[in-house]
Amino acid sequence: MLRNKTIVLGVSGGIAAYKAAAICSKLAQAGADVRVIMTESATRFIAPLTFQTLSRHDVIVDTFDEKDAAVVSHIDLADRADLVVVAPATANIIAKMAHGLADDMLTTTLLATTAPVLVAPAMNVHMYAHPAVQANMETLAGRGVLFVEPGTGQLACGYVGKGRLEEPEQIVEAIHRFFMEEGQLRGKKVLVTAGGTVERIDPVRYLTNDSSGKMGYAIAEAARSMGAEVTLVTGKASLSVPNGVSVVHVESAQNMLEAVLERLPGSDIVIKAAAVADYRPVEKAVQKIKKNEQEMTLTLVKNQDILQTIGSMKKNQFIVGFAAETERIDEYAMGKLLKKNCDLLVANDVTQEGAGFGTDTNVVRIYDKNGLVRALPIMTKLGVARELLTLIAERTVKGEGTNK
Ligand code: CTP
């Protein structure tokens, strides 16, 4: 899997730097061409010679220590990398990355590379929880940087908590997973809908729902990192759009329907994670409604079902629907899948802990027209997105869902 892959391993200065030797060794054994860059402070914890011996390449610390006159080292490494891994990543290097600083070989290479970057943080529990560190990581995640979260346990500083570098085996597994997923959806045009729709009553009031958009945004992010060209049609959601994803903002179910219909012919895969309002007010007042009567009645009219509409007119598209249920999951999910002519349907029982609106996790069951395909345990929404997209990728490789 890692043969012919160039992995730049950036080692920054924390006590966990010694664990990077195991990462380097495992990657080299798996056939990767590993190029190690260390920060000055990392060399205080572990000798460059260790990495040089394990990777069988020179280790670079100093930006100006150019060994080959034919190339500029940091640009050469930045261009050559298939993946840059920073492990351990200290709070300092994370801050520098977030702010675009380039004051040593590692940060300069990180700024110069267009390769995907995977970061494995390691630091004291309070440092990790510090809003500055969290904000920096969010900024990086928003730019598409991947993270291997630190583990929880005894820290070198004496504290017990979250901040310990994830075990080398787990980091190497994340690297394997990255290369396995990468490119699975290359060439595919994926249309994702997310968030809740907003149905106006008057200029300042509306009907909406609790959808956070997290599931749909996670799907867009994962599809992008699997090589797809992704368009996200989003209703109400207060999330940042994943890097490299085209976005179309819509308000009502009708706007969403128009946006989806316009893009359907050019899409290979359509994933409808949005929580679309089933009804809208018959009338939208042009001016703010004044309070007069003791009671007021709002008459609602049914919205057109977007999923069902595209299900009935699909040609080569692979269509995935979602269903939020509170009871009789299998029965309702299969009913929706057949009625709306979906290729897959993802159902979640929103009454379950860790599932549904607003949470970072989800518990889903995935169906095709023959019944249950997969029942996933509680996972992060990004994890669910990856599982779902892997399933879609398997089912679309043979031409189905390919729109030339
Ligand atoms: N959906 C849609 N257009 C609508 C309503 C729903 O495209 N007007 C889509 C959602 O995006 C989702 C799926 O239909 O992919 C299921 O939505 P859900 O609200 O669970 O199902 P409904 O068909 O609306 O059924 P009910 O509300 O009766 O459970």
Side-chain angles (χ1 to χ4, degrees), residues 283-345:
E283 280 172 47
K284 178 178 136 189
V286 182
Q287 304 299 338
K288 188 179 167 210
I289 300 170
K290 291 290 176 192
K291 55 176 175 304
N292 292 319
E293 309 302 322
Q294 203 52 36
E295 285 182 3
M296 84 170 265
T297 305
L298 199 60
T299 308
L300 304 177
V301 60
K302 210 171 193 178
N303 274 327
Q304 188 173 338
D305 192 305
I306 307 171
L307 184 59
Q308 193 167 352
T309 307
I310 61 172
S312 67
M313 59 195 281
K314 72 169 181 158
K315 296 215 162 62
N316 284 321
Q317 291 88 353
F318 190 93
I319 295 191
V320 183
F322 271 71
E325 305 293 351
T326 53
E327 56 170 353
R328 292 153 67 185
I329 315 291
D330 292 344
E331 182 190 330
Y332 286 148
M334 281 309 287
K336 281 180 191 174
L337 179 132
L338 297 172
K339 185 169 135 207
K340 302 189 186 191
N341 197 25
C342 301
D343 296 283
L344 287 176
L345 190 118

Short mmCIF file of all heavy atoms in Angstrom, two decimals, residues 283-345:
data_model
loop_
_atom_site.label_atom_id
_atom_site.label_comp_id
_atom_site.label_asym_id
_atom_site.label_seq_id
_atom_site.Cartn_x
_atom_site.Cartn_y
_atom_site.Cartn_z
N GLU A 283 -48.65 31.60 2.41
CA GLU A 283 -48.32 32.98 2.05
C GLU A 283 -47.13 33.47 2.85
O GLU A 283 -47.02 33.17 4.03
CB GLU A 283 -49.50 33.90 2.35
CG GLU A 283 -50.57 33.84 1.28
CD GLU A 283 -51.79 34.62 1.70
OE1 GLU A 283 -51.60 35.77 2.17
OE2 GLU A 283 -52.89 34.07 1.60
N LYS A 284 -46.29 34.23 2.16
CA LYS A 284 -45.17 34.87 2.85
C LYS A 284 -45.48 36.37 2.87
O LYS A 284 -45.56 36.99 1.80
CB LYS A 284 -43.88 34.57 2.08
CG LYS A 284 -42.66 35.21 2.66
CD LYS A 284 -41.43 34.81 1.86
CE LYS A 284 -40.56 36.01 1.63
NZ LYS A 284 -39.47 35.78 0.71
N ALA A 285 -45.70 36.92 4.07
CA ALA A 285 -46.05 38.33 4.15
C ALA A 285 -44.88 39.21 3.70
O ALA A 285 -43.73 38.93 4.06
CB ALA A 285 -46.44 38.67 5.59
N VAL A 286 -45.19 40.21 2.94
CA VAL A 286 -44.13 41.09 2.44
C VAL A 286 -43.62 41.99 3.57
O VAL A 286 -42.43 42.25 3.69
CB VAL A 286 -44.65 41.95 1.26
CG1 VAL A 286 -43.55 42.84 0.69
CG2 VAL A 286 -45.23 41.06 0.17
N GLN A 287 -44.56 42.42 4.42
CA GLN A 287 -44.18 43.26 5.57
C GLN A 287 -44.27 42.42 6.84
O GLN A 287 -44.96 41.41 6.88
CB GLN A 287 -45.13 44.46 5.70
CG GLN A 287 -45.24 45.31 4.45
CD GLN A 287 -43.91 45.94 4.03
OE1 GLN A 287 -43.01 46.09 4.86
NE2 GLN A 287 -43.78 46.29 2.77
N LYS A 288 -43.62 42.88 7.88
CA LYS A 288 -43.67 42.19 9.16
C LYS A 288 -45.13 42.10 9.65
O LYS A 288 -45.85 43.10 9.62
CB LYS A 288 -42.82 42.98 10.17
CG LYS A 288 -42.64 42.26 11.47
CD LYS A 288 -41.76 43.07 12.41
CE LYS A 288 -41.86 42.49 13.80
NZ LYS A 288 -41.69 43.47 14.84
N ILE A 289 -45.53 40.91 10.08
CA ILE A 289 -46.91 40.72 10.53
C ILE A 289 -47.08 41.36 11.91
O ILE A 289 -46.28 41.12 12.82
CB ILE A 289 -47.28 39.22 10.58
CG1 ILE A 289 -47.13 38.59 9.19
CG2 ILE A 289 -48.68 39.01 11.13
CD1 ILE A 289 -47.23 37.08 9.15
N LYS A 290 -48.12 42.19 12.04
CA LYS A 290 -48.38 42.86 13.32
C LYS A 290 -49.28 42.01 14.19
O LYS A 290 -50.12 41.27 13.69
CB LYS A 290 -49.07 44.22 13.05
CG LYS A 290 -48.16 45.22 12.38
CD LYS A 290 -47.11 45.68 13.36
CE LYS A 290 -46.10 46.61 12.74
NZ LYS A 290 -44.95 46.82 13.62
N LYS A 291 -49.10 42.13 15.52
CA LYS A 291 -49.98 41.35 16.38
C LYS A 291 -51.30 42.10 16.57
O LYS A 291 -51.30 43.25 17.00
CB LYS A 291 -49.32 41.03 17.73
CG LYS A 291 -48.80 42.19 18.51
CD LYS A 291 -48.26 41.71 19.84
CE LYS A 291 -47.61 42.84 20.62
NZ LYS A 291 -46.54 43.56 19.93
N ASN A 292 -52.38 41.43 16.17
CA ASN A 292 -53.70 42.04 16.30
C ASN A 292 -54.64 41.13 17.06
O ASN A 292 -54.95 41.36 18.21
CB ASN A 292 -54.29 42.36 14.91
CG ASN A 292 -53.51 43.48 14.24
OD1 ASN A 292 -53.13 44.45 14.91
ND2 ASN A 292 -53.24 43.35 12.96
N GLU A 293 -54.99 40.04 16.41
CA GLU A 293 -55.98 39.14 17.00
C GLU A 293 -55.37 38.33 18.14
O GLU A 293 -54.16 38.21 18.25
CB GLU A 293 -56.50 38.17 15.92
CG GLU A 293 -56.98 38.83 14.65
CD GLU A 293 -58.07 39.84 14.90
OE1 GLU A 293 -58.94 39.59 15.77
OE2 GLU A 293 -58.06 40.91 14.26
N GLN A 294 -56.26 37.75 18.95
CA GLN A 294 -55.84 36.89 20.05
C GLN A 294 -55.23 35.58 19.52
O GLN A 294 -54.32 35.02 20.10
CB GLN A 294 -57.07 36.58 20.94
CG GLN A 294 -56.72 36.18 22.36
CD GLN A 294 -55.79 37.17 23.05
OE1 GLN A 294 -55.86 38.38 22.84
NE2 GLN A 294 -54.88 36.65 23.85
N GLU A 295 -55.76 35.13 18.41
CA GLU A 295 -55.25 33.91 17.80
C GLU A 295 -54.89 34.19 16.36
O GLU A 295 -55.51 35.05 15.73
CB GLU A 295 -56.33 32.81 17.81
CG GLU A 295 -56.53 32.22 19.17
CD GLU A 295 -57.56 31.09 19.14
OE1 GLU A 295 -58.06 30.75 18.05
OE2 GLU A 295 -57.87 30.58 20.21
N MET A 296 -53.94 33.47 15.85
CA MET A 296 -53.71 33.58 14.40
C MET A 296 -53.46 32.18 13.84
O MET A 296 -52.95 31.30 14.53
CB MET A 296 -52.58 34.54 14.07
CG MET A 296 -51.20 33.99 14.13
SD MET A 296 -50.03 35.16 13.42
CE MET A 296 -49.91 34.54 11.74
N THR A 297 -53.85 31.97 12.62
CA THR A 297 -53.70 30.67 12.00
C THR A 297 -52.72 30.78 10.85
O THR A 297 -52.79 31.71 10.05
CB THR A 297 -55.07 30.18 11.46
OG1 THR A 297 -55.99 30.21 12.55
CG2 THR A 297 -54.97 28.76 10.89
N LEU A 298 -51.81 29.86 10.82
CA LEU A 298 -50.82 29.82 9.75
C LEU A 298 -51.18 28.62 8.88
O LEU A 298 -51.20 27.49 9.36
CB LEU A 298 -49.44 29.62 10.39
CG LEU A 298 -48.20 29.97 9.61
CD1 LEU A 298 -48.21 31.44 9.22
CD2 LEU A 298 -46.97 29.65 10.45
N THR A 299 -51.49 28.85 7.64
CA THR A 299 -51.83 27.72 6.77
C THR A 299 -50.58 27.28 6.02
O THR A 299 -49.86 28.11 5.45
CB THR A 299 -52.94 28.11 5.78
OG1 THR A 299 -54.00 28.67 6.55
CG2 THR A 299 -53.45 26.91 5.00
N LEU A 300 -50.32 25.98 6.08
CA LEU A 300 -49.12 25.45 5.44
C LEU A 300 -49.49 24.60 4.24
O LEU A 300 -50.56 24.00 4.20
CB LEU A 300 -48.34 24.57 6.44
CG LEU A 300 -47.94 25.23 7.76
CD1 LEU A 300 -47.23 24.21 8.65
CD2 LEU A 300 -47.03 26.43 7.52
N VAL A 301 -48.58 24.57 3.29
CA VAL A 301 -48.79 23.74 2.10
C VAL A 301 -47.56 22.83 1.96
O VAL A 301 -46.46 23.19 2.36
CB VAL A 301 -49.02 24.63 0.85
CG1 VAL A 301 -47.83 25.53 0.58
CG2 VAL A 301 -49.34 23.79 -0.36
N LYS A 302 -47.78 21.66 1.41
CA LYS A 302 -46.71 20.68 1.31
C LYS A 302 -45.61 21.12 0.33
O LYS A 302 -45.93 21.65 -0.74
CB LYS A 302 -47.30 19.34 0.83
CG LYS A 302 -46.56 18.15 1.36
CD LYS A 302 -47.33 16.89 1.02
CE LYS A 302 -46.81 15.72 1.79
NZ LYS A 302 -47.58 14.52 1.51
N ASN A 303 -44.37 20.91 0.70
CA ASN A 303 -43.26 21.17 -0.22
C ASN A 303 -43.09 19.96 -1.13
O ASN A 303 -43.37 18.84 -0.73
CB ASN A 303 -41.96 21.36 0.57
CG ASN A 303 -41.77 22.78 1.04
OD1 ASN A 303 -42.17 23.73 0.36
ND2 ASN A 303 -41.17 22.93 2.21
N GLN A 304 -42.58 20.22 -2.32
CA GLN A 304 -42.28 19.11 -3.21
C GLN A 304 -41.13 18.30 -2.62
O GLN A 304 -40.17 18.89 -2.08
CB GLN A 304 -41.89 19.68 -4.58
CG GLN A 304 -41.74 18.62 -5.64
CD GLN A 304 -41.52 19.24 -7.02
OE1 GLN A 304 -41.89 20.40 -7.26
NE2 GLN A 304 -40.95 18.47 -7.92
N ASP A 305 -41.21 16.99 -2.67
CA ASP A 305 -40.13 16.16 -2.13
C ASP A 305 -38.98 16.12 -3.13
O ASP A 305 -39.12 15.58 -4.23
CB ASP A 305 -40.65 14.75 -1.83
CG ASP A 305 -39.66 13.96 -1.00
OD1 ASP A 305 -38.49 13.85 -1.42
OD2 ASP A 305 -40.05 13.46 0.07
N ILE A 306 -37.85 16.71 -2.74
CA ILE A 306 -36.70 16.82 -3.66
C ILE A 306 -36.15 15.44 -3.99
O ILE A 306 -35.89 15.11 -5.15
CB ILE A 306 -35.58 17.69 -3.02
CG1 ILE A 306 -36.15 19.04 -2.57
CG2 ILE A 306 -34.44 17.88 -4.00
CD1 ILE A 306 -35.20 19.87 -1.74
N LEU A 307 -35.99 14.63 -2.95
CA LEU A 307 -35.41 13.30 -3.14
C LEU A 307 -36.28 12.46 -4.07
O LEU A 307 -35.78 11.81 -4.99
CB LEU A 307 -35.25 12.63 -1.76
CG LEU A 307 -34.58 11.27 -1.72
CD1 LEU A 307 -33.17 11.33 -2.30
CD2 LEU A 307 -34.51 10.75 -0.27
N GLN A 308 -37.57 12.51 -3.82
CA GLN A 308 -38.49 11.72 -4.65
C GLN A 308 -38.47 12.22 -6.10
O GLN A 308 -38.50 11.43 -7.04
CB GLN A 308 -39.90 11.80 -4.07
CG GLN A 308 -40.83 10.78 -4.69
CD GLN A 308 -42.13 10.65 -3.90
OE1 GLN A 308 -42.27 11.21 -2.81
NE2 GLN A 308 -43.05 9.90 -4.43
N THR A 309 -38.40 13.54 -6.24
CA THR A 309 -38.37 14.12 -7.60
C THR A 309 -37.15 13.63 -8.37
O THR A 309 -37.26 13.16 -9.49
CB THR A 309 -38.34 15.67 -7.50
OG1 THR A 309 -39.42 16.08 -6.68
CG2 THR A 309 -38.44 16.32 -8.86
N ILE A 310 -35.97 13.71 -7.72
CA ILE A 310 -34.76 13.30 -8.47
C ILE A 310 -34.72 11.78 -8.61
O ILE A 310 -34.21 11.27 -9.60
CB ILE A 310 -33.45 13.87 -7.87
CG1 ILE A 310 -33.23 13.39 -6.44
CG2 ILE A 310 -33.43 15.38 -7.94
CD1 ILE A 310 -31.86 13.78 -5.89
N GLY A 311 -35.30 11.08 -7.64
CA GLY A 311 -35.37 9.61 -7.73
C GLY A 311 -36.18 9.17 -8.94
O GLY A 311 -35.85 8.20 -9.60
N SER A 312 -37.22 9.94 -9.24
CA SER A 312 -38.10 9.54 -10.35
C SER A 312 -37.50 9.92 -11.70
O SER A 312 -37.91 9.39 -12.72
CB SER A 312 -39.47 10.21 -10.18
OG SER A 312 -39.33 11.60 -10.36
N MET A 313 -36.56 10.87 -11.72
CA MET A 313 -36.02 11.29 -13.02
C MET A 313 -34.56 10.89 -13.22
O MET A 313 -33.98 11.23 -14.25
CB MET A 313 -36.21 12.80 -13.19
CG MET A 313 -35.55 13.65 -12.12
SD MET A 313 -36.17 15.35 -12.15
CE MET A 313 -35.23 15.98 -13.51
N LYS A 314 -33.99 10.13 -12.27
CA LYS A 314 -32.55 9.85 -12.38
C LYS A 314 -32.22 8.97 -13.59
O LYS A 314 -33.02 8.14 -14.01
CB LYS A 314 -32.06 9.19 -11.10
CG LYS A 314 -32.49 7.77 -10.88
CD LYS A 314 -31.70 7.17 -9.74
CE LYS A 314 -32.14 5.72 -9.55
NZ LYS A 314 -31.16 4.93 -8.87
N LYS A 315 -31.02 9.20 -14.13
CA LYS A 315 -30.56 8.39 -15.26
C LYS A 315 -29.42 7.51 -14.75
O LYS A 315 -29.65 6.40 -14.30
CB LYS A 315 -30.11 9.31 -16.39
CG LYS A 315 -31.26 10.16 -16.95
CD LYS A 315 -31.11 10.38 -18.45
CE LYS A 315 -32.40 10.81 -19.10
NZ LYS A 315 -32.93 12.10 -18.61
N ASN A 316 -28.18 8.07 -14.80
CA ASN A 316 -27.06 7.27 -14.29
C ASN A 316 -26.72 7.57 -12.84
O ASN A 316 -25.85 6.94 -12.27
CB ASN A 316 -25.80 7.58 -15.12
CG ASN A 316 -25.86 6.91 -16.45
OD1 ASN A 316 -26.32 5.77 -16.55
ND2 ASN A 316 -25.44 7.61 -17.48
N GLN A 317 -27.40 8.55 -12.28
CA GLN A 317 -26.99 9.02 -10.95
C GLN A 317 -27.24 7.97 -9.87
O GLN A 317 -28.23 7.26 -9.90
CB GLN A 317 -27.75 10.30 -10.58
CG GLN A 317 -27.36 11.50 -11.40
CD GLN A 317 -28.18 11.61 -12.67
OE1 GLN A 317 -28.96 10.73 -13.01
NE2 GLN A 317 -27.98 12.70 -13.38
N PHE A 318 -26.31 7.95 -8.92
CA PHE A 318 -26.44 7.09 -7.74
C PHE A 318 -27.00 7.99 -6.65
O PHE A 318 -26.39 8.99 -6.28
CB PHE A 318 -25.06 6.55 -7.37
CG PHE A 318 -25.09 5.47 -6.33
CD1 PHE A 318 -25.13 4.13 -6.69
CD2 PHE A 318 -25.08 5.79 -4.97
CE1 PHE A 318 -25.15 3.13 -5.73
CE2 PHE A 318 -25.11 4.80 -4.01
CZ PHE A 318 -25.15 3.47 -4.40
N ILE A 319 -28.17 7.63 -6.13
CA ILE A 319 -28.85 8.55 -5.21
C ILE A 319 -28.96 7.98 -3.81
O ILE A 319 -29.36 6.83 -3.60
CB ILE A 319 -30.24 8.91 -5.79
CG1 ILE A 319 -29.97 9.69 -7.08
CG2 ILE A 319 -31.06 9.71 -4.79
CD1 ILE A 319 -31.11 10.36 -7.69
N VAL A 320 -28.58 8.81 -2.86
CA VAL A 320 -28.60 8.39 -1.46
C VAL A 320 -29.51 9.31 -0.66
O VAL A 320 -29.34 10.54 -0.68
CB VAL A 320 -27.17 8.43 -0.86
CG1 VAL A 320 -27.17 7.92 0.57
CG2 VAL A 320 -26.21 7.62 -1.71
N GLY A 321 -30.47 8.72 0.03
CA GLY A 321 -31.37 9.50 0.87
C GLY A 321 -31.07 9.29 2.34
O GLY A 321 -30.33 8.38 2.72
N PHE A 322 -31.63 10.16 3.15
CA PHE A 322 -31.49 10.04 4.60
C PHE A 322 -32.89 9.94 5.21
O PHE A 322 -33.86 10.41 4.62
CB PHE A 322 -30.76 11.26 5.19
CG PHE A 322 -29.28 11.08 5.23
CD1 PHE A 322 -28.53 11.10 4.07
CD2 PHE A 322 -28.62 10.86 6.44
CE1 PHE A 322 -27.16 10.91 4.09
CE2 PHE A 322 -27.25 10.67 6.48
CZ PHE A 322 -26.52 10.70 5.31
N ALA A 323 -32.98 9.36 6.36
CA ALA A 323 -34.26 9.34 7.06
C ALA A 323 -34.00 9.46 8.55
O ALA A 323 -33.15 8.77 9.10
CB ALA A 323 -34.99 8.04 6.77
N ALA A 324 -34.70 10.39 9.15
CA ALA A 324 -34.62 10.53 10.61
C ALA A 324 -35.89 9.90 11.16
O ALA A 324 -36.99 10.30 10.78
CB ALA A 324 -34.56 12.01 10.97
N GLU A 325 -35.72 8.90 12.00
CA GLU A 325 -36.90 8.19 12.52
C GLU A 325 -36.85 8.12 14.04
O GLU A 325 -35.78 8.25 14.65
CB GLU A 325 -36.94 6.75 11.96
CG GLU A 325 -36.89 6.65 10.44
CD GLU A 325 -38.14 7.22 9.75
OE1 GLU A 325 -39.11 7.54 10.44
OE2 GLU A 325 -38.11 7.36 8.52
N THR A 326 -38.01 7.88 14.63
CA THR A 326 -38.05 7.71 16.08
C THR A 326 -38.59 6.33 16.45
O THR A 326 -38.60 5.95 17.61
CB THR A 326 -38.94 8.79 16.73
OG1 THR A 326 -40.22 8.76 16.08
CG2 THR A 326 -38.34 10.18 16.60
N GLU A 327 -39.10 5.59 15.47
CA GLU A 327 -39.63 4.23 15.73
C GLU A 327 -39.65 3.44 14.42
O GLU A 327 -39.51 4.01 13.34
CB GLU A 327 -41.05 4.31 16.31
CG GLU A 327 -41.97 5.10 15.41
CD GLU A 327 -43.43 5.04 15.78
OE1 GLU A 327 -43.79 4.27 16.68
OE2 GLU A 327 -44.22 5.75 15.14
N ARG A 328 -39.80 2.11 14.51
CA ARG A 328 -39.92 1.20 13.36
C ARG A 328 -38.96 1.57 12.21
O ARG A 328 -39.37 1.73 11.05
CB ARG A 328 -41.37 1.18 12.88
CG ARG A 328 -42.27 0.51 13.91
CD ARG A 328 -43.70 0.98 13.88
NE ARG A 328 -44.41 0.60 12.66
CZ ARG A 328 -45.66 1.02 12.41
NH1 ARG A 328 -46.29 1.80 13.27
NH2 ARG A 328 -46.26 0.65 11.31
N ILE A 329 -37.67 1.72 12.60
CA ILE A 329 -36.64 2.21 11.67
C ILE A 329 -36.61 1.42 10.35
O ILE A 329 -36.68 2.01 9.27
CB ILE A 329 -35.23 2.12 12.31
CG1 ILE A 329 -35.22 2.63 13.75
CG2 ILE A 329 -34.19 2.85 11.47
CD1 ILE A 329 -35.41 4.08 13.91
N ASP A 330 -36.47 0.08 10.47
CA ASP A 330 -36.29 -0.74 9.25
C ASP A 330 -37.47 -0.54 8.29
O ASP A 330 -37.29 -0.33 7.10
CB ASP A 330 -36.17 -2.23 9.62
CG ASP A 330 -34.87 -2.50 10.37
OD1 ASP A 330 -33.98 -1.64 10.33
OD2 ASP A 330 -34.76 -3.57 11.00
N GLU A 331 -38.66 -0.61 8.85
CA GLU A 331 -39.87 -0.53 8.04
C GLU A 331 -39.99 0.83 7.34
O GLU A 331 -40.16 0.92 6.12
CB GLU A 331 -41.06 -0.76 8.98
CG GLU A 331 -42.39 -0.77 8.32
CD GLU A 331 -43.50 -0.75 9.38
OE1 GLU A 331 -43.30 -1.29 10.50
OE2 GLU A 331 -44.57 -0.19 9.08
N TYR A 332 -39.82 1.90 8.13
CA TYR A 332 -39.96 3.23 7.53
C TYR A 332 -38.83 3.51 6.55
O TYR A 332 -39.04 4.13 5.50
CB TYR A 332 -39.97 4.31 8.63
CG TYR A 332 -41.27 4.37 9.42
CD1 TYR A 332 -41.28 4.73 10.76
CD2 TYR A 332 -42.49 4.08 8.80
CE1 TYR A 332 -42.47 4.81 11.47
CE2 TYR A 332 -43.68 4.15 9.51
CZ TYR A 332 -43.67 4.51 10.84
OH TYR A 332 -44.85 4.58 11.53
N ALA A 333 -37.62 3.08 6.90
CA ALA A 333 -36.47 3.35 6.03
C ALA A 333 -36.66 2.66 4.68
O ALA A 333 -36.49 3.29 3.63
CB ALA A 333 -35.19 2.85 6.69
N MET A 334 -37.05 1.38 4.70
CA MET A 334 -37.25 0.66 3.44
C MET A 334 -38.39 1.28 2.63
O MET A 334 -38.31 1.37 1.41
CB MET A 334 -37.55 -0.82 3.72
CG MET A 334 -36.32 -1.66 4.04
SD MET A 334 -34.98 -1.49 2.85
CE MET A 334 -35.63 -2.39 1.44
N GLY A 335 -39.42 1.72 3.34
CA GLY A 335 -40.55 2.37 2.66
C GLY A 335 -40.09 3.61 1.91
O GLY A 335 -40.41 3.81 0.74
N LYS A 336 -39.26 4.43 2.56
CA LYS A 336 -38.76 5.66 1.93
C LYS A 336 -37.84 5.34 0.76
O LYS A 336 -37.89 5.99 -0.28
CB LYS A 336 -38.01 6.52 2.96
CG LYS A 336 -38.96 7.30 3.86
CD LYS A 336 -38.24 8.14 4.88
CE LYS A 336 -39.26 8.66 5.90
NZ LYS A 336 -38.65 9.37 7.02
N LEU A 337 -36.96 4.34 0.96
CA LEU A 337 -36.00 3.98 -0.09
C LEU A 337 -36.75 3.58 -1.37
O LEU A 337 -36.41 4.04 -2.47
CB LEU A 337 -35.12 2.82 0.40
CG LEU A 337 -34.07 2.32 -0.60
CD1 LEU A 337 -32.72 2.18 0.05
CD2 LEU A 337 -34.46 1.00 -1.22
N LEU A 338 -37.78 2.75 -1.22
CA LEU A 338 -38.50 2.26 -2.40
C LEU A 338 -39.34 3.37 -3.02
O LEU A 338 -39.33 3.58 -4.23
CB LEU A 338 -39.36 1.05 -2.03
CG LEU A 338 -38.54 -0.17 -1.54
CD1 LEU A 338 -39.45 -1.26 -1.02
CD2 LEU A 338 -37.63 -0.71 -2.64
N LYS A 339 -40.02 4.13 -2.15
CA LYS A 339 -40.89 5.19 -2.66
C LYS A 339 -40.10 6.27 -3.40
O LYS A 339 -40.53 6.78 -4.43
CB LYS A 339 -41.63 5.82 -1.47
CG LYS A 339 -42.65 6.86 -1.84
CD LYS A 339 -43.51 7.24 -0.63
CE LYS A 339 -43.68 8.73 -0.56
NZ LYS A 339 -43.90 9.24 0.78
N LYS A 340 -38.91 6.58 -2.87
CA LYS A 340 -38.14 7.68 -3.45
C LYS A 340 -37.08 7.19 -4.44
O LYS A 340 -36.26 7.97 -4.92
CB LYS A 340 -37.50 8.51 -2.33
CG LYS A 340 -38.54 9.08 -1.35
CD LYS A 340 -37.97 10.07 -0.37
CE LYS A 340 -39.00 10.49 0.66
NZ LYS A 340 -38.57 11.63 1.47
N ASN A 341 -37.07 5.87 -4.71
CA ASN A 341 -36.17 5.28 -5.71
C ASN A 341 -34.69 5.59 -5.44
O ASN A 341 -33.96 6.02 -6.33
CB ASN A 341 -36.59 5.74 -7.11
CG ASN A 341 -35.99 4.86 -8.19
OD1 ASN A 341 -35.66 3.69 -7.94
ND2 ASN A 341 -35.81 5.41 -9.38
N CYS A 342 -34.27 5.39 -4.19
CA CYS A 342 -32.88 5.65 -3.83
C CYS A 342 -32.05 4.38 -4.05
O CYS A 342 -32.57 3.27 -3.99
CB CYS A 342 -32.76 5.99 -2.34
SG CYS A 342 -33.69 7.40 -1.84
N ASP A 343 -30.74 4.57 -4.26
CA ASP A 343 -29.83 3.41 -4.34
C ASP A 343 -29.42 2.98 -2.94
O ASP A 343 -29.20 1.81 -2.68
CB ASP A 343 -28.61 3.78 -5.17
CG ASP A 343 -29.01 4.07 -6.61
OD1 ASP A 343 -29.27 3.11 -7.34
OD2 ASP A 343 -29.13 5.25 -6.97
N LEU A 344 -29.28 3.94 -2.06
CA LEU A 344 -28.99 3.65 -0.65
C LEU A 344 -29.82 4.61 0.20
O LEU A 344 -30.09 5.73 -0.21
CB LEU A 344 -27.51 3.87 -0.31
CG LEU A 344 -26.47 2.86 -0.83
CD1 LEU A 344 -25.07 3.35 -0.44
CD2 LEU A 344 -26.70 1.46 -0.28
N LEU A 345 -30.16 4.16 1.40
CA LEU A 345 -30.83 5.05 2.34
C LEU A 345 -30.16 4.91 3.71
O LEU A 345 -29.92 3.80 4.17
CB LEU A 345 -32.32 4.74 2.44
CG LEU A 345 -33.04 5.84 3.24
CD1 LEU A 345 -34.08 6.56 2.42
CD2 LEU A 345 -33.61 5.33 4.52
#
